């Protein structure tokens, strides 16, 4: 059976103000062609289909169109990520065709989609019988720790490990009733041992955001979403992140973006091939004097999205206009003199920074002293209360 594993499309996202919808459309066209050319049986999309809970209309149309095209060739299984609204993404899931399944309800995560290899072309059947595909939507602990608890009125611990572990216990219980059935879990989570980039949204609860690799024991293939760099977790290829199809920050400029082609043999063993995705426009850092920039020293990057640091001692006149004349697609232009006096840099803040630590740094800066344990606990409670409120709003 052949699976194409993808995710983290973030339809509707912008990059430092630049619209990415056209580039995302190029990727989706490429995806449909790969599915057709490589005789894919199943496409799994592991969350963060949209970039926000209420996506732009054009992003919704784009998703609708690609699901129709993919369903003409393969079965498609989609799960929501932390950027998606599970309710909005899952709207109409009950009336969709058997070829498009959106698994968005935590209460039904132990009900698999059974995919029979060769269901479109009998000549592709592999003799291994159907494959059970389970979808784990992004599980926000504060919203599911009661619903997934094995004992009523005794909530699970307030952690990602607890809720994902409980979800997987339910999956394994169902799988035990299907002896000899191969299994795939599609999940959106941060699994220990994987490496984040700088553009994934923070999902810490109680200061912890990771789930142990062992949580997914007993599953033939685990198709993960959330981290934007394609990578495997642990030894072998059984647990993998497909990564995002496009670079969504300059921190991802050196990633080789791809989708993951997975073949599951009749005995459940897997082989993996990474298929690079199109790069409509490269991301490049340029650093030099205004004279170097205007001399054409970096002319090979003129068609790229660039982040430019101009190093002249004195701020050049008409800096922005002169740089844009050489780099029409420049997204960030800064003046960073090379001979500026040394000073302690502030800790860099990215999407993966712990918001509580960022707030603690500000307290230190504003008061001249670091917050004590009680003050840190207050900061964490305030942040997690705000995050839970936003999650609840997105789920409506």
């Amino acid at each position: 059976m052949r699976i194409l594993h993808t995710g983290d499309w973030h339809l509707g996202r912008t990059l430092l103000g630049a619209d990415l919808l056209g580039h995302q459309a190029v990727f989706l066209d490429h995806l449909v062609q790969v599915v057709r050319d490589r005789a894919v049986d199943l496409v799994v999309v592991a969350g963060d289909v949209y970039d926000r809970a209420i996506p732009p209309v054009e992003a919704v149309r784009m998703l609708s169109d690609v699901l129709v095209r993919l369903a003409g060739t393969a079965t498609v299984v989609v799960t929501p990520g932390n950027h998606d609204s599970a309710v909005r993404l899952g709207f109409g899931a009950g009336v969709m065709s058997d070829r498009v399944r959106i698994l968005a309800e935590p209460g039904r995560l132990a009900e698999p989609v059974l995919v029979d290899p060769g269901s479109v072309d009998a000549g592709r059947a592999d003799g291994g019988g159907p494959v059970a595909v389970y979808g784990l939507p992004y599980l926000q602990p504060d919203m599911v720790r009661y619903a997934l608890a094995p004992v009523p009125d005794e909530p699970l611990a307030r952690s990602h490990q607890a809720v994902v572990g409980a979800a997987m216990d339910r999956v394994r219980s169902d799988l035990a009733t299907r002896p000899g059935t191969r299994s795939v879990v599609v999940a959106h989570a941060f699994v220990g041992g994987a490496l984040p980039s700088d553009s994934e949204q923070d999902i810490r609860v109680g200061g912890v955001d990771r789930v142990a690799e062992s949580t997914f024991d007993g599953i033939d293939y685990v198709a993960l979403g959330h981290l934007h760099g394609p990578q495997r977790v642990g030894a072998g290829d059984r647990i993998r992140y497909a990564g995002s199809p496009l670079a969504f920050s300059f921190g991802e400029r050196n990633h080789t973006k791809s989708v993951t082609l997975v073949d599951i043999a009749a005995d459940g063993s897997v082989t993996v091939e990474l298929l690079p995705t199109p790069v409509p426009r490269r991301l490049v850092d340029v650093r030099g004097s205004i004279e170097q920039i205007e001399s054409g020293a970096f002319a090979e990057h003129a068609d790229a999205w660039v982040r430019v640091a101009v190093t002249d001692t004195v701020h050049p006149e008409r800096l922005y206009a002169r740089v844009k004349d050489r780099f029409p697609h420049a997204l960030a232009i800064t003046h960073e003199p090379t001979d500026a006096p040394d000073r302690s840099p502030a800790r860099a803040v990215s999407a993966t920074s712990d918001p509580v630590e960022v707030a603690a740094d500000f307290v230190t800066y504003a008061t001249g002293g670091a917050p004590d344990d009680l003050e840190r606990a207050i900061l964490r409670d305030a942040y997690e209360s705000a995050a839970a409120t936003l999650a609840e709003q997105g789920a409506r």
Side-chain angles (χ1 to χ4, degrees), residues 90-353:
F91 173 76
V95 296
M96 287 188 175
S97 74
D98 289 340
R99 302 302 298 281
V100 178
R101 304 295 297 275
I102 298 180
L103 306 182
E105 298 182 40
R108 302 183 64 183
L109 52 77
E111 299 176 19
V113 176
L114 297 177
V115 181
D116 192 1
S119 57
V120 174
D121 179 355
R124 284 156 44 191
D126 64 5
V131 175
V133 184
Y134 299 88
L136 271 61
Y138 169 67
L139 299 172
Q140 215 285 344
D142 289 326
M143 298 181 68
V144 298
R145 55 196 292 254
Y146 282 89
L148 295 180
V151 179
D153 300 322
E154 292 185 18
L156 296 164
R158 190 169 176 265
S159 73
H160 290 282
Q161 177 63 55
V163 296
V164 176
M168 285 304 303
D169 286 344
R170 294 188 178 197
V171 167
R172 277 186 285 266
S173 292
D174 180 83
L175 188 59
T177 68
R178 308 172 189 275
T181 301
R182 292 169 290 177
S183 57
V184 172
V185 166
V186 188
H188 196 88
F190 190 173
V191 180
L195 298 175
S197 64
D198 64 350
S199 63
E200 296 103 4
Q201 189 178 74
D202 179 81
I203 60 170
R204 289 178 181 87
V205 170
V208 179
D209 52 6
R210 302 200 184 206
V211 175
E213 173 192 345
S214 60
T215 307
F216 299 95
D217 285 352
I219 304 301
D220 292 318
Y221 183 72
V222 181
L224 294 174
H226 181 58
L227 302 187
H228 292 178
Q231 58 194 289
R232 65 186 184 185
V233 179
D237 284 314
R238 188 181 68 88
I239 306 175
R240 291 198 64 97
Y241 284 95
S244 62
L246 299 172
F248 293 128
S249 73
F250 277 87
E252 297 177 25
R253 66 190 181 281
N254 295 322
H255 286 189
T256 300
K257 299 298 187 179
S258 60
V259 294
T260 306
L261 196 67
V262 183
D263 285 315
I264 301 186
D267 63 359
S269 61
V270 300
T271 56
V272 165
E273 180 182 358
L274 302 187
L275 306 178
T277 54
V279 183
R281 196 179 300 284
R282 297 171 298 122
L283 271 66
V284 177
D285 271 328
V286 169
R287 186 177 185 86
S289 68
I290 192 68
E291 180 181 359
Q292 290 175 307
I293 290 169
E294 292 186 320
S295 73
F298 306 102
E300 70 271 23
H301 304 314
D303 64 340
W305 272 327
V306 294
R307 183 172 59 178
V308 183
V310 179
T311 59
D312 296 66
T313 301
V314 177
H315 191 288
E317 294 183 1
R318 299 176 52 253
L319 171 63
Y320 186 86
R322 292 164 73 181
V323 171
K324 288 289 281 187
D325 183 59
R326 293 292 177 169
F327 300 112
H329 306 291
L331 297 181
I333 301 170
T334 58
H335 179 225
E336 300 179 14
T338 55
D339 58 351
D342 291 337
R343 53 185 173 183
S344 298
R347 178 160 37 183
V349 177
S350 73
T352 59
S353 299

Side-chain angles (χ1 to χ4, degrees), residues 359-382:
D361 284 349
F362 176 75
V363 171
T364 302
Y365 169 80
T367 68
D372 59 25
D373 291 345
L374 176 59
E375 290 168 331
R376 282 180 176 273
I378 292 170
L379 289 172
R380 186 166 297 285
D381 286 346

